[in-house]
């Protein structure tokens, strides 16, 4: 069971992802709705893993990954992207994200990405 921080500007997406994670026996220790909040919540919660939306207000997921990885080099982040965001996904992986999942979420793919990232 992993402690996971869920970051997405859409409440519905955070809820959907949280439900998938809880069903797979993971613990959602916190949520954030923008990149700035994600970095602050990461500092407070020190989660095992972060699911990070790419496009958010205040600070993008891409900038948040860079910020988290700079402060916590061992951080494990999985990017969440809509179709058509391949360029940003590549940038996120280069910035240190471990994997990515595509919206709308496929439960099997989400769990697979999380297990692979945690192992």
């Amino acid at each position: 069971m992993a402690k996971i921080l869920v970051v997405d500007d859409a409440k519905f997406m955070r809820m959907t992802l949280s439900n998938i994670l809880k069903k797979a026996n993971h613990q959602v220790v916190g949520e954030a709705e923008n990149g700035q909040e994600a970095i602050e919540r990461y500092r407070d919660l020190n989660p095992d893993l972060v699911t990070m939306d790419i496009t958010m207000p205040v600070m993008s997921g891409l900038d948040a990954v860079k910020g988290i990885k700079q402060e916590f080099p061992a951080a494990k982040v999985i990017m969440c992207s809509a179709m058509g965001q391949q360029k940003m996904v590549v940038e996120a992986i280069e910035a240190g994200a471990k994997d990515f999942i595509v919206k709308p979420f496929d439960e099997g793919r989400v769990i697979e990405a999380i297990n692979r990232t945690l192992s």
Side-chain angles (χ1 to χ4, degrees), residues 34-37 39 54-65 67:
N34 63 59
Q36 185 61 53
E37 207 178 287
I39 294 172
I54 291 181
T55 311
M56 295 181 289
V58 184
M59 179 190 280
S60 74
L62 194 57
D63 290 335
V65 170

Side-chain angles (χ1 to χ4, degrees), residues 8-26:
D8 198 301
D9 57 328
K11 174 79 178 142
F12 173 75
M13 284 302 185
R14 293 196 308 270
M15 195 175 70
T16 302
L17 206 45
S18 293
N19 289 338
I20 292 171
L21 297 170
K22 288 173 187 166
K23 201 154 67 165
N25 294 318
H26 292 295

Side-chain angles (χ1 to χ4, degrees), residues 30-45:
E31 294 183 0
E33 53 188 61
N34 63 59
Q36 185 61 53
E37 207 178 287
I39 294 172
E40 291 162 12
R41 303 288 288 151
Y42 192 97
R43 281 186 200 122
D44 294 343
L45 301 167

